[in-house]
Amino acid sequence: INSTVQGSSSPVAYIYVSNSPSSGETQIKGYAAAANGALSPISGSSFATPAFEMALNGSWLFATDGNNIDSFSIASNGALKQVDSLAVETDGGLVDLYLDHTGTSLYAEYYTTNNDYLSYSIDNTTGRLTFINDLAGGPENNSAVSFVGNDEFAYSSSCYHFSPEIYGVQRASDGGL
């Protein structure tokens, strides 16, 4: 969901949903949400692109098909325009995307036998991603971590093979985990 602060006649948020119609081609459907909760399609929606997981920071929407991370600019009317695509060398697949609270770092769950966390910085002018690091050997269930208020620490939990655990990661000043 992309929230906006605009006049009462303008949408209060834009909502994006990954959709796979009967044709089998994945797409992103976009909707403008009115103050009363009514939804209306964004002009030009649906946006044909493989998008299994998405994350957005208000200016950019990032989507993955499991092997690539695509960057889309978000226009003032909510329309999407693909501006970049980053091929991620995977022998497993990207299973989740999420951001820190500032929206300046993007993280991807990288499903392998080690369940890695990949960190990227976001160029807020172009939407391009730059690889920061790979935190190898993450938790067994590939759960996205949630950042606490100061954006320095993030936590999640797992119950792999009936062994419950809570785990945390620390965010470095460059955004890496």
Side-chain angles (χ1 to χ4, degrees), residues 67-88:
N67 297 310
N68 302 303
I69 302 174
D70 297 328
S71 300
F72 296 85
S73 63
I74 302 173
S76 60
N77 67 352
L80 300 177
K81 177 183 176 187
Q82 186 171 351
V83 295
D84 196 31
S85 185
L86 176 69
V88 178

Side-chain angles (χ1 to χ4, degrees), residues 69 86 88 94 104-108 118-122 129-133 175:
I69 302 174
L86 176 69
V88 178
L94 301 174
T104 59
S105 299
L106 179 74
Y107 302 96
L118 305 178
S119 303
Y120 299 90
S121 64
I122 301 167
L129 300 173
T130 302
F131 179 75
I132 300 172
N133 76 333

Side-chain angles (χ1 to χ4, degrees), residues 12 14 29 51 67 99 157 160:
V12 295
Y14 294 112
K29 295 183 85 80
N67 297 310
L99 299 153
S157 62
Y160 184 70

Side-chain angles (χ1 to χ4, degrees), residues 19-175:
N19 180 39
S20 184
S22 59
S23 66
E25 182 178 324
T26 307
Q27 58 190 0
I28 299 173
K29 295 183 85 80
Y31 300 91
N36 66 0
L39 298 177
S40 58
I42 293 173
S43 178
S45 181
S46 298
F47 308 99
T49 184
F52 301 124
E53 301 290 336
M54 296 182 293
L56 64 149
N57 68 5
S59 298
W60 306 102
L61 181 142
F62 304 96
T64 183
D65 64 358
N67 297 310
N68 302 303
I69 302 174
D70 297 328
S71 300
F72 296 85
S73 63
I74 302 173
S76 60
N77 67 352
L80 300 177
K81 177 183 176 187
Q82 186 171 351
V83 295
D84 196 31
S85 185
L86 176 69
V88 178
E89 295 293 326
T90 63
D91 60 358
L94 301 174
V95 295
D96 202 0
L97 294 177
Y98 54 96
L99 299 153
D100 67 327
H101 289 296
T102 66
T104 59
S105 299
L106 179 74
Y107 302 96
E109 301 294 326
Y110 177 37
Y111 181 75
T112 67
T113 55
N114 291 326
N115 299 329
D116 300 359
Y117 290 96
L118 305 178
S119 303
Y120 299 90
S121 64
I122 301 167
D123 182 324
N124 281 316
T125 304
T126 64
R128 294 189 81 135
L129 300 173
T130 302
F131 179 75
I132 300 172
N133 76 333
D134 177 350
L135 176 60
E140 290 92 4
N141 73 339
N142 259 33
S143 294
V145 293
S146 296
F147 286 93
V148 295
N150 67 2
D151 256 355
E152 183 179 358
F153 299 99
Y155 300 91
S156 191
S157 62
S158 172
C159 190
Y160 184 70
H161 291 282
F162 305 104
S163 298
E165 63 181 358
I166 296 174
Y167 53 90
V169 295
Q170 186 172 12
R171 182 175 180 262
S173 60
D174 67 356

